[in-house]
Each structure stands twice: as C-alpha cells, then as structure tokens.
Amino acid sequence: MMFAGGAQAAIAIDGKVDEAQWQQARAYQDFKVTEPYRLEAPPAGTGTTARLLSTPEGIAVAFELEQSSAFARVKPRLERDQDRAADRVNVSIDFDGDGRTAYSFSVDRAGSVQDGVVVNENVLNLDWDTDWSWAVSETATGWQAELLIPWSVATMRGADASTRKINVYFSRTLGSNGERQATPAVATSRGRFVSGFEPIEIAQYRKPLLHFWPYLTAHHDLIDGRTRYNAGVDVFWKPSPTFQLSATVNPDFGQVESDDLVINFDAVETFYSDRRPFFTENQSIFDLTTPDAGRLIHTRRIGGDADDGSGASDIDAALKLNGSVGALGYGLLAASEDGEAGRDFYAARLQYPLRPGLNLGWLGSLVQRPYRDREAQVQALDLSWKPNDRLIVNAQALASFIDQAGRGSDDSGAWLRINWTPSNRWRYELELTHFGDRLDFNDLGFQRRASLNEMEATAVYLHRIEDAASKLGSTRWSAELQARSNDRGDRLPTYLLLGGNLNFRNGDLIYLEASLISDGADDLISRGNGLWQRSGRYDAEVGYSSRRYGDWSLGASIELAPRGLSARPTQEVVLSANWYPSDAFNASFEFGPDRGEDWLIWEGGRNFGRYARRGDFASLGLSWFPGQRHELRLKSEWVAVRGSRGQGYRLQPSGRMAASGQALPDFDVNNFGLQLRYRYLLGPQSDVFLAYSRGGYRRQERDGIGGGALFDDALGLRDADQLLAKIRYRF
C-alpha cells in the first residue's frame, strides 16, 4: 500500500496540471487495455499519467493524456450521464476500502460528466448526481483534466484518524474506437471489479457541510387551462464524515426526465429507475438486489400511484440518515404521503465488516397502507465473502410478513452466488435461488416473481488475440444453464443461453445470442388462473455496434423470439444511428419494427387471444449546447402494436390451450410522448428548467390499419399537454 500525503494549499481546478502540489501526488502510469480485455500495453501515442492528492477541500485527481494524430479527437458536448463515444477519463473511489461500494466520476474532453455508484462489484447506477468540480484543457500533444471530489460526497466509516485507507481505479477511453485503458487492470465484464481496486493511504480531512435547496415550480395544463404552483425545500447536513442527514418538505418529486415509453402485455411490471435527487443521494447503502433483477428497496414506490387509483401520490415529507459508528455503517429512510390513500414508508440498513473480506448486513422495511388495511414488513440478512482475489461469495436470506385486513401471509427466501475467476481467460458462476410461494417485497421493493427454485451455472471464456495484424482484438464466449421450478413443484422451462462477442481492434462490436428453451410450465401468464404447459422453443439475436465513423456511429440488430403458442418466432429489427455534426449538437435515431404470426396475450381469467402481431417503435433525440451553461433537448418516442386475425383460446385444467372458436376483433395500442426541455445551469446542483411535454396512450378495437395511419393518430394523442417551469437553487 502506498501513501499519498496531503496538500494544504488549494489547487485551482482549471484543467491545467501545472501546480507544484501535483509533484507530491501519487502517480499512476501502468495502464493496460481492459476493454476489449486484452491486458496489453496501450498503443503508442496514448500515454496516460494519473495523479491523486488529498487536500482539505477533497480528493484531487489529475490526468495528463497523450493522444497522437493517429487517434481522432472525439469531444461532443453531452448531457450529464449521457453515454456516447467520447474521449473520457474516469476515477472510481472506494472510500471505505472494503470492496462493497465505489463512487465513479468521469469527465470527457468537452467537459461533459458522468457520476454514479458501483455496487455488487460491477453494477453501475448513473441515477446518482452529486456536487464535484472538474475542468479540462487541450494541449499540443493531447489533453489534461483535473477533478476535485469533496469529502462530503459519501459517508465514511472510521473517520477520526488523520489518514484513511481507500481503494482507487483510473481509466481513460478513446472515443475513436471505444478502447478503455485502466489501472489496476480490472474490468466490469470480469465479475470482480470494485474489490480489485488498488489500495492507497491518504491524509484525511474533516469538512462540515450544510446546504438548502428551495425550489419553486409553475405547472400550466394546456388541456384544462389551470396553472398550479408548488414550493418546497431540500436540506443536506453533514457535520462530520460519519453522519449525514437529508430531508425534504413538500418535495417536488415530479420527474423532469421523462421515462421511456413501453407497451407491456407481460405479467411482470416494467422497471423504471429513479432520478429524483433526494432518493439518489447516498442511496447505495439501500441497494440490496436479488438475482432476478429484483430490489428490496425501489424508491419509485414512494410517490407512486395512490392506493385509491387517483393518480400519483403527493409526498408530505421524507428523511434519510446515513452514517457510521466505528466499523458499523447504517442508513435510515422514512417518507410519508399525503391524503387518505397515502402510505408511510420506513427502511433501516446496517452493514458490519466481521473481518477483512467478510461483511454482514441487515435490512428491514415497513410499509403502512391504511386505505387497503395492509401492513407489509420485510427482513433480510446478506453476506459478502471475498477470501482471495479469485473467489467471491454472496448470500442473502429474506422474509416478508404481510397483514391485510387481519389476515397474515408470511414467507421466506434465500439465494447464494459463487463467482470464481481462476484465470484471465475463464470465469465461472453458480447461483442458487429459493423464493417461497407467498414471499412478497413489492410494497417497497421490486419483485419480478415469487415461488421460484432456480439453479444457474455460467461459464465465460475470453480469448485475447495476440496478433496485432488481426482485425479482431478479442472474443468472449459464454454458456449459461438455468434449471427452474416453482415452489409448488411444477417444472418451469429450462434455458440454455449461449452468447458471443467479437471485439474488433477498430472499436466495432458484433454480438451473438441464442437460447434453447425446453418445454415446461408457464405459471405467470394467466396471473394465477392456472398453468400453461408451454412447448419447447428457441430465440436468437445478432447485433452490430460501430465505432464512430466521421460524424456517425451506427447500430443494428435482428432478433427471432417466440411470443405465441408455437415456436414460430416474431422477427424484430432495430436500426439506430448517432449523428455528431458539431461538438455542440448531436442527434440519435432509432427504429424497430417487429412482425409475427403467433402472439398470445392474456384477456382475463383463463381466456387468451391469439393474434398476428405488428409492432413499430421509433425515437428521436436532439441535444444542442449553445453555451457552457445552456442545454436544449428534444426527446420524442412512438410505440405502437397491432393485433389482427384474433382467435379466442381458453386455458384447460390440463395446462393445454384449447381454441374456443371465437373470433376476436382487431385492436391496436398507440403510445406517444414528446418533451422539449431547456436547462440553464445556475451553479452547482442549481438549475432552471423550462419544459413542454405532450403525449398519450390509447387502445381501441378496429380493423387493422397501416403504420402511417397509426403514427398520424399518435400525433393527435393528448392525455397530457403541459408547460413546466422550475427553479432549484442551492444555498
């Protein structure tokens, strides 16, 4: 472990690495190519030096980047957290040095940034935005970047000492071909990422912090002609590194960012992430997930649809505490909704390192829903064990306790995941899951399903091509076997998933995926009205993603996926393009038609409809940055699906679908959304927003019509038509 001392004098974050204090900094130069995962020295003309220094204001990081003319300089202006091809640097810091959570900070050559939190070794969540400083500058031979990460960005355990042991990771990405170079040479694709960061001991400083964010919104509804005003305040108080309080009164939790449009006929709801500032701030301690992409805390439940069906709930107030007592980390969350149908939400979290590499955690949540006479409690214990650099073991045991109208419903579950990386070529994973039939953590979490027993075994092989003359840089091949049953003993379909990635040295990528699916019971499609014994089938997908060619980058994919009674697949094509005519303007386009002759959807009870399917999806995004503080964005999406030649089917007690002889009417579903948004950056975490939004959703029965007519109808949808003005300023 190296020691990097502190610098008492302030460093000017101007993008020019010219202060004398940088000579005291720990320097990192041993970068390797990790994406594609070749682990070779970077190509000539792309030398990188990263420096890290502890200061009273925060952790300062500098990058000095060589970039010869052989590698085009790619520097489009981007929105915060927008992931597009660009020359970019990143530093990720595990402030507690225990491999559990890392905070990621990226800045590209144009000064656009990304920030996020990495949990569960390699899962990056970009919903988190925080206050930090950055600057970049061009040089004759490349460019430079400086970052200052305040001590306030995260709570830290054991903060009374004069020094702190942290783990760090540095990387740079070449926008011309997508190549990532990093030190230490770890990658998210390898399973073990955060626990592979390099340890360093730095000087530690204490910096108390108190911020207020009052806000004011004006919302004008162009349909009813009414204007509504709202005001509130967020408070952030951090008197020490070991304690932090976030609170909000009468919060404006309306999303300025619009969600992607989805038409969902499945039994599992669509997951939407949460970008609301109060819920993203220091939320990582509550990020407890399950193997099937579930979450024990899903903050979109708070302020979601009210229990009386009246729409989104208003939130009176919310409070969050984060901190530590010695080695024990804790988090508390409470929120209360307004009105008779309002709910109260509570969650608590503890984390404790039993010894290096072995961590134990507990999470408890309680939701009170008086309108439904329902109280839901969830308890979970989790374990993370990293005995060496090759092996990671994670486990969780959980239980739910539901009381509704005086009737109790309790159940439990558990899962175990073993991740073994014996070499740079091979990685193996074994996962075992059990969810009881009545396990339910959906009141404050996101649960895809209960009643599951599953075994997953995965093997991944990475081949690095040594021949520098080869167009291919590396290939990645994977095989995963999923054997499943529900908790009542019914065998669910078994999956064999095969995948391959072909990474070209110029940055292009071709991916291949195929799934072989056995017959078995589908116990979700009827929403609890019986099992459908599904036949065996397959699906397959091939896709291409290009590097940037001049002003363009392109993508294309074709998928064959069965959606009906038979194995006949629906054919779906997706074409996409990104256009960069200038550094200050970029555009994205996507179009995705799908066609199929066999589409089965649930109509209620044991009744189903079998249709021919025609779907269309299109999106357009335009972003213009007329100045450093100005952003203008247009986002528009259209999704439509049509069902024709419908025939009625009924699910039999035997699990077979039998035709009822009933002809079903043609129908179509149309969904359209448009948002034009202007943002002016007043200062750190302070903005003015002006937004116009319009859109709607409609399902109707009528004879099949063409895609052009459906698109014309979509432009006339007007369930929402509104103007929003918002100002939020930090004091």
Side-chain angles (χ1 to χ4, degrees):
M1 177 181 295
M2 301 295 296
F3 177 76
Q8 295 298 324
I11 290 177
I13 303 301
D14 57 7
K16 299 176 181 178
V17 188
D18 53 8
E19 290 91 350
Q21 294 96 313
W22 286 120
Q23 302 309 311
Q24 307 171 34
R26 168 80 165 95
Y28 297 83
Q29 295 178 311
D30 187 24
F31 284 74
K32 302 294 185 185
V33 176
T34 59
E35 191 175 315
Y37 194 72
R38 298 201 300 265
L39 298 185
E40 61 189 31
T46 62
T48 304
T49 299
R51 303 180 190 275
L52 183 144
L53 187 62
S54 179
T55 77
E57 300 301 317
I59 297 175
V61 176
F63 287 89
E64 297 171 275
L65 305 129
E66 178 190 3
Q67 192 160 333
S68 72
S69 58
F71 300 90
R73 299 188 177 191
V74 181
K75 54 172 187 177
R77 284 287 309 280
L78 301 171
E79 293 184 87
R80 190 171 194 140
D81 296 331
Q82 192 175 7
D83 191 14
R84 297 281 176 82
D87 294 336
R88 181 178 291 123
V89 294
N90 170 269
V91 58
S92 297
I93 303 176
D94 173 2
F95 288 99
D96 286 328
D98 58 8
R100 291 190 300 188
T101 303
Y103 296 81
S104 173
F105 306 88
S106 300
V107 60
D108 66 31
R109 196 178 199 127
S112 305
V113 299
Q114 292 181 346
D115 43 15
V117 181
V118 186
V119 297
N120 299 320
E121 277 292 335
N122 60 357
V123 180
L124 173 63
N125 183 353
L126 291 174
D127 292 338
W128 176 72
D129 293 333
T130 192
D131 180 18
W132 54 288
S133 303
W134 63 90
V136 297
S137 67
E138 300 269 1
T139 68
T141 58
W143 60 296
Q144 297 183 344
E146 289 183 314
L147 299 77
L148 181 65
I149 301 158
W151 294 105
S152 59
V153 298
T155 54
M156 307 176 198
R157 296 197 314 270
D160 294 331
S162 60
T163 63
R164 165 167 290 275
K165 296 177 182 179
I166 65 173
N167 295 341
V168 295
Y169 163 87
F170 304 90
S171 72
R172 74 174 294 185
T173 303
L174 297 174
S176 59
N177 60 12
E179 181 179 277
R180 184 184 298 271
Q181 306 163 11
T183 183
V186 294
T188 56
S189 62
R190 300 297 294 156
R192 182 175 185 265
F193 179 61
V194 173
S195 60
F197 288 8
E198 182 169 333
I200 182 175
E201 186 172 358
I202 62 173
Q204 178 168 249
Y205 300 91
R206 300 170 63 94
K207 189 173 180 63
L209 191 67
L210 176 62
H211 286 315
F212 296 87
W213 284 272
Y215 81 88
L216 176 66
T217 63
H219 175 275
H220 180 65
D221 193 312
L222 295 170
I223 298 176
D224 64 19
R226 295 179 59 189
T227 302
R228 302 171 180 84
Y229 300 93
N230 204 2
V233 63
D234 296 342
V235 180
F236 178 89
W237 180 44
K238 188 174 183 182
S240 74
T242 59
F243 178 82
Q244 177 178 298
L245 178 147
S246 304
T248 184
V249 177
N250 193 28
D252 170 34
F253 281 165
Q255 296 246 40
V256 177
E257 292 286 344
S258 56
D259 292 322
D260 292 336
L261 300 185
V262 176
I263 296 177
N264 185 1
F265 286 90
D266 296 336
V268 179
E269 70 172 303
T270 301
F271 176 82
Y272 292 105
S273 65
D274 196 341
R275 296 187 63 89
R276 299 174 293 182
F278 174 84
F279 289 121
T280 60
E281 181 62 39
N282 278 298
Q283 188 68 20
S284 60
I285 193 171
F286 296 104
D287 281 342
L288 204 58
T289 61
T290 61
D292 62 341
R295 292 171 178 254
L296 298 191
I297 302 293
H298 179 40
T299 52
R300 285 290 289 264
R301 301 289 187 216
I302 304 172
D305 290 338
D307 283 344
D308 61 0
S310 60
S313 299
D314 292 326
I315 301 174
D316 283 335
L319 176 73
K320 187 191 302 183
L321 300 177
N322 299 79
S324 63
V325 179
L328 178 68
Y330 66 85
L332 300 172
L333 172 67
S336 180
E337 296 176 342
D338 187 28
E340 294 182 358
R343 299 155 292 197
D344 295 318
F345 301 86
Y346 307 94
R349 175 81 164 125
L350 299 175
Q351 291 180 326
Y352 187 77
L354 298 175
R355 58 183 177 83
L358 181 61
N359 295 281
L360 182 67
W362 165 82
L363 182 142
S365 68
L366 173 67
V367 181
Q368 296 174 331
R369 310 175 71 167
Y371 188 86
R372 295 184 57 187
D373 193 14
R374 177 182 174 94
E375 184 173 280
Q377 183 183 162
V378 173
Q379 302 283 336
L381 289 173
D382 59 283
L383 178 74
S384 175
W385 181 40
K386 301 167 186 175
N388 54 53
D389 291 345
R390 298 182 176 184
L391 184 65
I392 301 174
V393 179
N394 291 290
Q396 184 183 108
L398 64 156
S400 63
F401 308 91
I402 312 296
D403 186 300
Q404 185 154 2
R407 299 183 62 182
S409 177
D410 307 337
D411 215 327
S412 60
W415 60 266
L416 169 71
R417 181 188 296 125
I418 301 172
N419 196 313
W420 181 41
T421 309
S423 70
N424 288 329
R425 292 184 179 272
W426 286 97
R427 179 171 69 87
Y428 304 95
E429 185 174 284
L430 175 66
E431 195 170 84
L432 305 173
T433 303
H434 163 70
F435 284 169
D437 188 53
R438 294 180 296 174
L439 179 68
D440 185 356
F441 51 87
N442 254 327
D443 292 80
L444 185 51
F446 178 84
Q447 182 178 2
R448 297 181 59 84
R449 62 164 299 151
S451 188
L452 177 67
N453 297 294
E454 182 175 47
M455 184 276 291
E456 292 186 10
T458 305
V460 180
Y461 174 72
L462 181 70
H463 177 58
R464 303 194 302 275
I465 299 173
E466 306 294 342
D467 182 5
S470 171
K471 292 184 178 181
L472 270 176
S474 67
T475 60
R476 179 179 180 270
W477 307 98
S478 65
E480 179 178 327
L481 178 67
Q482 299 178 356
R484 306 180 303 154
S485 67
N486 63 27
D487 208 35
R488 296 179 295 276
D490 303 304
R491 184 180 63 82
L492 307 180
T494 298
Y495 284 72
L496 176 61
L497 295 87
L498 306 173
N501 284 4
L502 307 178
N503 293 279
F504 292 85
R505 291 183 182 273
N506 67 356
D508 291 348
L509 168 70
I510 294 176
Y511 65 88
L512 313 164
E513 295 179 359
S515 300
L516 306 177
I517 310 167
S518 76
D519 61 346
D522 187 330
D523 60 347
L524 296 182
I525 193 171
S526 72
R527 280 69 164 177
N529 291 287
L531 298 174
W532 170 37
Q533 295 296 333
R534 203 174 72 177
S535 63
R537 52 198 59 202
Y538 73 92
D539 63 39
E541 182 177 2
V542 58
Y544 166 74
S545 176
S546 84
R547 67 176 178 90
R548 183 163 162 175
Y549 288 91
D551 294 339
W552 294 87
S553 63
L554 306 171
S557 68
I558 181 169
E559 181 180 10
L560 304 176
R563 298 176 182 264
L565 283 176
S566 69
R568 286 184 294 172
T570 295
Q571 301 155 18
E572 181 174 355
V573 176
V574 177
L575 304 173
S576 63
N578 296 311
W579 181 41
Y580 308 91
S582 73
D583 290 343
F585 179 84
N586 64 80
S588 62
F589 313 89
E590 191 170 26
F591 175 59
D594 67 79
R595 306 289 185 264
E597 294 298 317
D598 190 0
W599 180 31
L600 186 71
I601 61 174
W602 179 64
E603 303 281 3
R606 301 176 73 90
N607 298 317
F608 290 80
R610 190 182 190 186
Y611 298 87
R613 173 189 170 98
R614 177 177 177 137
D616 290 289
F617 165 75
S619 70
L620 169 67
L622 305 175
S623 298
W624 181 40
F625 304 87
Q628 286 295 325
R629 293 178 177 267
H630 303 269
E631 298 178 8
L632 184 64
R633 179 191 183 194
L634 172 69
K635 178 181 179 182
S636 181
E637 291 183 295
W638 170 56
V639 184
V641 64
R642 283 148 286 176
S644 61
R645 305 195 302 274
Q647 297 293 321
Y649 280 75
R650 186 166 178 84
L651 180 61
Q652 305 300 304
S654 65
R656 186 177 64 89
M657 289 283 182
S660 66
Q662 177 188 10
L664 301 178
D666 294 354
F667 74 92
D668 57 76
V669 180
N670 219 351
N671 197 358
F672 177 76
L674 178 147
Q675 183 185 73
L676 179 64
R677 190 194 75 187
Y678 168 74
R679 177 190 183 197
Y680 179 72
L681 181 64
L682 293 170
Q685 297 182 299
S686 303
D687 308 274
V688 173
F689 285 100
L690 300 174
Y692 169 71
S693 302
R694 174 171 172 159
Y697 176 95
R698 181 184 298 158
R699 174 171 176 164
Q700 54 189 330
E701 294 181 354
R702 55 180 173 175
D703 292 338
I705 63 173
L710 266 178
F711 183 71
D712 288 341
D713 284 356
L715 296 178
L717 293 175
R718 197 169 174 243
D719 297 340
D721 194 356
Q722 59 195 20
L723 291 167
L724 173 71
K726 175 180 177 180
I727 182 170
R728 184 174 187 262
Y729 191 80
R730 189 187 77 183
F731 292 95

